[in-house]
Amino acid sequence: MRHLPVRMARWSARHAGRAIAGWFAFVVLCLVAGIALGTNEATTKDFWVGEAGRAEATATEGGLERSPTERIMIRARSGELDMAAAGAAAQDVTERMRDLPEVESVAAPVRSKDGEVLLVSVVLNGPELKGKKNVVPLLEQTAAVGADHPHLVVEETGSPAISKGVNDQRDEDLALSERISLPVTVVTLLIVFGSVIMAGVPLLLALSSIAAAIGLSMVASHVMPDAGVGTNLILLIGLAVGVDYTLFYLKREREERARAGGRLGPEALVELAAATAGRAIVISGLAVIVSTATLYLATDVIFSSLATGTILVVAVAVASSLTVLPALLVVIGRRADRLAPRRAARRARRGKPARGGKPETGRMFGALLRPARTRPALTLCLSVLVMLGLTVPALGLKLIDPGKDTFSRDIPAMRVYDRLTESFPELFVTHEVVTRSTPEQAAQVKRALEDLGRRAQADPLFARAPKEAESTKDAQDATSPENPTNPKGPQSPTNPRTPAISEPTVRTSADGRISVLELSVPHPAPSAEAIESLTRLRQDHIPATVGRLSGVETAVSGDVARGRDYVSHESDKLPLVLGFLLLMTFLMTVWAFRSVVLGAIGVVLNLLSAGASLGLLVLVFQGTWAEGLLAFDSLGAIASRVPLFLVVILFGLSMDYQVFVVSRIQEARQNGMSAREAVLEGINRSAKVVTSAAIVMVTVFGAFVALHLTEMKQMGFCLAVAVLLDAVVIRLMVLPSVLLLLGERAWWPARRPGRTVRAQEPAAGSPAEVG
């Protein structure tokens, strides 16, 4: 492992053409393989978690699983609703929908209590997750009906339409984030290198690494299903680490070029860079991969998909830095050597002095380092107190599983959803009580579930069926499954009066073993009332009815149950994931630097960085004071996936900076400097490049704050803040202060190395090995 980067760089430098062609052939091969195999998308069963997951598995076994459903609303454009015109429009909707192959059934139209809205429910074929793809023809037909009835508003919503809207919005948001982050990245690289060509290299390798990782992720999905979030993370992490790794390598090669003063050729300079920056990139990449792999311990399809995407793009980014990057640097170096005499002559004719090659830390970095250099104890105490103060709000962290009620109202289907639930509040939430028993118990189970339904109807937290509709013959005829006029569902009556809900009914599988009872709740899923209704159902109503039957398995699913069980599942897995994360971070640092003390320091610093960023996340997003500033509607909590994912990713990214900074300190120490001199030299040498890399990361992550989806806003904000705190406070204040105070003890149990003399002239062997 120690000599692998040098060997790979040596081969690439000597075979630059083949290395470059081979890399881009690899990228094309990955994309072709991915496109040929396609993406194996996660199915509904891959998302089953906890009691809600068991309920859905049981219902699916009995053929009673939840089907994707769309709701078409018909209302007057102005004034009162003309029922004759609305009925004609409902008839048109029904006939158009039942002719679509994507449609399983069409229900009779339902009139709202205020008589201002007519509702037609359409059940789609196929599983729930396929609804967002199958809904497009339905949306087209709804628009066509609206055009044919200009005096009415005909609009559609439902989980499939909302999911499609969220996906479309996410794609637009990602395009926006790229338009923000790419120009800033280019400008940052131009400032760092002062060359269009050198600035283009990191961007080229990052984008090619992203392309290869996307292809590989499509292949990997056939082993671990893709939950639909892997590509988003590949774009987010790929641009950040791809640019960072290339940036560290390029800066080191330029340092070696400046130090050599023309005495070493491009091949030798690349080997010198590989021996230092190349090894640090390998260690850093492994640290990110190992840290991210702990997400698999969460046994969740979304986290597994996130982990796979991150691991693939980091591995590919490391590979590009070790293979094609040395080849590109040799090609660019040879061109620079050919042009160097001509440029020097032009500068001489203009009377300009030759450019100095000594790397400078700069006044700003010198000012930031001055407190740690002059008063390390005071700087350490104040910095740690600031980070702990930022961490305090994280103690009040509340988690929520964001459902469709939390999506942006810029999505048309969400605005229709708001109007739907205003007219039909009983459609907010549905609890599904699922039972499994023997066929002989079917009648007994049905009676118990009907009793449960009556108890729920008497509970004010649950929706109640209007009593006047129970004896309405039109309603009974319209909802009768025996109505022969519509093979895909009943026709609409002339004067529809069917309520949106009726007396709770029990559905039973053909073999009599599995039964399902649906109960409506007129409150949004994230609300306290909806959550309390689930608690009361599970703890009071079920034990008092069907729970008394021996040998009967009972479980509750639905939107609220899914969210609550998911949060509970993640909370249970958090100690395991965090424990392994701390252990692997410690072991990776000890392995990289042969120091137990540095391993412990790395763990503590990563905890400080993650804690402070999570505290700021809670402070900003859990309250309402920043809603106008960042354009979001507070959930009153943090999306349940965000903290666990962020802690894991932040540990990996923090290890990036830890490895690069400590590697420079270790190198200075091995060159014979005292512990204090090595710390100051290493920080001085790495401060500018680390901060430049941090600017790129902060830009990439910060662009996600402009997105619509609150969960993505929270991720982008927390990652951007964490990188900024880590690069400025941790790496420029806390870390140097700790190392200056500890001195040689920071490297225990490693012994102090003997002084080595750096080769200033080309040597007979490999420059990297001699150096």
Side-chain angles (χ1 to χ4, degrees):
M1 181 65 71
R2 183 179 184 85
H3 301 294
L4 179 63
V6 175
R7 292 169 183 165
M8 296 179 70
R10 183 182 303 149
W11 186 91
S12 296
R14 295 175 180 176
H15 309 87
R18 278 190 278 178
I20 295 172
W23 171 255
F24 288 103
F26 167 73
V27 173
V28 172
L29 179 63
C30 291
L31 284 174
V32 170
I35 294 171
L37 289 176
T39 301
N40 177 34
E41 297 180 354
T43 60
T44 303
K45 67 179 182 180
D46 293 316
F47 293 89
W48 290 340
V49 170
E51 180 182 332
R54 295 196 304 273
E56 293 180 47
T58 303
T60 302
E61 182 184 337
L64 304 174
E65 66 271 23
R66 177 187 292 193
S67 298
T69 303
E70 284 291 281
R71 317 279 186 180
I72 293 93
M73 295 176 62
I74 303 170
R75 57 187 175 90
R77 194 168 292 278
S78 62
E80 294 184 359
L81 179 65
D82 183 344
M83 284 308 302
Q91 183 70 24
D92 192 3
V93 166
T94 300
E95 291 177 353
R96 287 173 180 269
M97 294 299 175
R98 70 182 181 182
D99 290 336
L100 295 176
E102 293 84 2
V103 172
E104 177 183 306
S105 64
V106 183
V110 175
R111 191 174 182 179
S112 62
K113 291 180 181 180
D114 59 9
E116 296 300 323
V117 177
L118 201 60
L119 178 68
V120 178
S121 297
V122 182
V123 178
L124 281 69
N125 285 311
E128 194 174 359
L129 289 182
K130 291 292 184 182
K132 60 187 175 184
K133 294 184 178 180
N134 296 335
V135 76
V136 176
L138 280 75
L139 293 170
E140 293 173 351
Q141 293 302 324
T142 299
V145 173
D148 292 343
H149 301 267
H151 298 296
L152 297 171
V153 177
V154 183
E155 51 193 0
E156 180 177 343
T157 189
S159 294
I162 292 173
S163 296
K164 180 184 180 301
V166 170
N167 284 350
D168 292 343
Q169 188 182 70
R170 183 183 290 117
D171 292 340
E172 295 173 3
D173 283 349
L174 288 174
L176 173 63
S177 69
E178 291 170 4
R179 291 196 297 270
I180 295 173
S181 58
L182 286 177
V184 176
T185 300
V186 170
V187 170
T188 302
L189 294 173
L190 284 172
I191 294 173
V192 172
F193 293 108
S195 165
V196 175
I197 294 177
M198 296 299 285
V201 170
L203 207 55
L204 174 64
L205 293 192
L207 294 177
S208 64
S209 297
I210 289 171
I214 289 175
L216 290 175
S217 69
M218 297 170 74
V219 176
S221 69
H222 293 272
V223 179
M224 293 184 178
D226 178 52
V229 295
T231 301
N232 297 340
L233 195 65
I234 287 174
L235 294 172
L236 178 68
I237 300 296
L239 186 60
V241 301
V243 169
D244 275 9
Y245 292 163
T246 310
L247 179 62
F248 287 127
Y249 204 110
L250 285 173
K251 287 294 291 181
R252 189 53 186 259
E253 189 269 349
R254 289 185 64 139
E255 281 187 26
E256 300 297 346
R257 177 179 292 274
R259 185 180 289 110
R263 297 189 297 274
L264 294 177
E267 293 85 355
L269 295 173
V270 163
E271 288 189 44
L272 285 170
T276 51
R279 181 174 180 268
I281 288 171
V282 171
I283 295 172
S284 174
L286 286 175
V288 177
I289 289 171
V290 170
S291 297
T292 307
T294 59
L295 283 175
Y296 290 122
L297 298 175
T299 61
D300 174 77
V301 65
I302 295 177
F303 282 131
S304 296
S305 186
L306 293 173
T308 300
T310 302
I311 289 171
L312 286 174
V313 76
V314 170
V316 173
V318 171
S320 71
S321 299
L322 299 182
T323 55
V324 66
L325 179 57
L328 288 173
L329 289 179
V330 166
V331 172
I332 294 172
R334 289 171 180 168
R335 179 177 178 274
D337 288 344
R338 289 195 302 270
L339 297 177
R342 199 180 308 170
R343 290 174 178 170
R346 283 201 302 267
R347 293 184 68 84
R349 285 195 299 270
R350 294 173 184 174
K352 294 182 179 181
R355 288 181 178 177
K358 183 179 179 180
E360 297 179 357
T361 302
R363 292 182 180 179
M364 181 181 68
F365 301 110
L368 290 173
L369 284 171
R370 189 175 297 115
R373 184 174 63 248
T374 57
R375 296 184 177 180
L378 180 61
T379 302
L380 177 63
C381 291
L382 292 178
S383 301
V384 170
L385 285 175
V386 168
M387 297 296 281
L388 291 177
L390 295 176
T391 304
V392 170
L395 299 177
L397 174 68
K398 299 177 183 178
L399 298 180
I400 188 175
D401 184 51
K404 59 187 176 186
D405 297 275
T406 65
F407 294 148
S408 169
R409 266 48 189 178
D410 290 339
I411 300 172
M414 283 306 304
R415 296 195 295 271
V416 181
Y417 172 78
D418 289 338
R419 290 190 285 271
L420 170 70
T421 51
E422 182 180 356
S423 299
F424 301 92
E426 60 272 18
L427 295 179
F428 264 122
V429 163
T430 299
H431 297 315
E432 298 173 3
V433 182
V434 183
T435 63
R436 184 206 299 271
S437 63
T438 62
E440 293 76 18
Q441 293 178 291
Q444 188 180 13
V445 169
K446 182 178 180 181
R447 287 193 298 271
L449 288 175
E450 289 173 346
D451 183 28
L452 171 59
R454 287 189 291 271
R455 289 176 63 96
Q457 291 272 287
D459 191 325
L461 289 174
F462 292 79
R464 299 179 226 182
K467 292 184 178 180
E468 64 272 14
E470 295 177 3
S471 60
T472 303
K473 187 176 185 303
D474 285 344
Q476 294 171 351
D477 293 341
T479 56
S480 173
E482 289 79 19
N483 190 325
T485 58
N486 182 3
K488 287 191 176 183
Q491 299 279 358
S492 76
T494 305
N495 185 24
R497 297 182 59 82
T498 311
I501 62 169
S502 58
E503 191 75 22
T505 57
V506 179
R507 294 182 293 141
T508 304
S509 61
D511 60 6
R513 297 173 59 250
I514 297 170
S515 298
V516 176
L517 171 69
E518 294 185 357
L519 301 172
S520 297
V521 176
H523 305 286
S527 67
E529 293 86 352
I531 295 171
E532 175 60 23
S533 71
L534 174 66
T535 303
R536 195 172 297 180
L537 177 62
R538 284 177 167 176
Q539 297 181 0
D540 298 335
H541 299 324
I542 289 178
T545 53
V546 70
R548 292 182 173 182
L549 303 180
S550 61
V552 178
E553 300 176 12
T554 307
V556 180
S557 183
D559 295 331
V560 179
R562 285 177 174 179
R564 302 301 294 175
D565 291 352
Y566 189 80
V567 172
S568 177
H569 172 79
E570 290 185 359
S571 299
D572 292 342
K573 295 293 183 179
L574 181 60
L576 177 65
V577 175
L578 188 58
F580 268 88
L581 182 63
L582 295 174
L583 177 63
M584 297 312 299
T585 300
F586 175 77
L587 293 179
M588 285 295 298
T589 307
V590 172
W591 170 74
F593 301 109
R594 303 296 188 268
S595 169
V596 173
V597 177
L598 284 177
I601 291 173
V603 169
V604 173
L605 296 188
N606 288 353
L607 283 173
L608 276 177
S609 178
S613 57
L614 285 175
L616 286 172
L617 176 68
V618 171
L619 186 65
V620 171
F621 282 93
Q622 202 161 286
T624 58
W625 65 272
E627 287 181 329
L629 184 63
L630 298 180
F632 71 97
D633 293 322
S634 176
L635 306 177
I638 304 301
S640 58
R641 283 182 289 269
V642 172
L644 180 58
F645 169 73
L646 289 178
V647 168
V648 171
I649 296 298
L650 292 179
F651 264 64
L653 296 179
S654 294
M655 280 293 291
D656 259 358
Y657 297 143
Q658 179 82 349
V659 168
F660 286 117
V661 172
V662 176
S663 292
R664 296 305 298 260
I665 297 172
Q666 185 184 48
E667 184 183 343
R669 182 170 173 268
Q670 290 172 343
N671 286 336
M673 293 185 181
S674 66
R676 177 181 176 81
E677 292 171 339
V679 170
L680 296 177
E681 173 72 8
I683 299 292
N684 283 334
R685 292 280 185 178
S686 60
K688 186 175 181 179
V689 67
V690 165
T691 306
S692 301
I695 291 173
V696 172
M697 278 197 177
V698 169
T699 302
V700 173
F701 298 147
F704 274 62
V705 179
L707 307 189
H708 289 86
L709 199 60
T710 302
E711 189 172 14
M712 298 301 292
K713 278 180 176 287
Q714 292 177 355
M715 286 186 179
F717 174 85
C718 194
L719 285 171
V721 167
V723 170
L724 188 61
L725 289 174
D726 196 90
V728 177
V729 180
I730 298 295
R731 305 305 156 193
L732 295 180
M733 297 182 182
V734 178
L735 179 62
S737 298
V738 170
L739 296 182
L740 286 173
L741 290 172
L742 290 176
E744 285 297 329
R745 290 169 292 182
W747 301 91
W748 183 87
R751 296 180 180 178
R752 175 171 176 78
R755 182 177 181 84
T756 58
V757 180
R758 183 178 182 84
Q760 299 294 333
E761 300 289 343
S766 165
E769 292 170 357
V770 173

